[in-house]
Amino acid sequence: LNDGAGGSSGRLAGMVGRRDLDAAAREEILLILRGSGSLEYAYGRARVYVDRARSLLGGFPESPGRRALFRFADLVLERER
């Protein structure tokens, strides 16, 4: 999270981990993360890891477990962002 002059990272640090966040605070967290590009960055990193996992899984013989792991890898990236 790159913090410009706005002090977003300090505000975010004060909110993350609290159990009593209301809907407005959760929305503010999402706005900070979206505005900083953090969510896009995290998605890009996840894509790299999923692609690597799929590549490694390709070396295993076809099986129900292998198919399940391929589906799970897809689900990781298809979750609501």
Side-chain angles (χ1 to χ4, degrees), residues 11-24:
R11 175 91 175 114
L12 186 63
M15 291 189 301
V16 172
R18 289 183 39 205
R19 293 178 181 250
D20 62 339
L21 292 177
D22 59 14

Side-chain angles (χ1 to χ4, degrees), residues 61-80:
E62 182 63 31
S63 70
R66 180 178 176 251
R67 285 191 298 276
L69 289 170
F70 268 100
R71 285 192 304 272
F72 181 71
D74 291 336
L75 283 173
V76 167
L77 296 175
E78 291 172 4
R79 287 184 53 207
E80 183 180 331

Side-chain angles (χ1 to χ4, degrees), residues 38-54 73-79 81:
S38 295
L39 295 179
E40 290 79 14
Y41 173 80
Y43 182 81
R45 295 301 304 154
R47 166 56 61 196
V48 168
Y49 288 121
V50 165
D51 289 346
R52 177 76 174 135
R54 290 177 70 82
D74 291 336
L75 283 173
V76 167
L77 296 175
E78 291 172 4
R79 287 184 53 207
R81 290 189 275 163

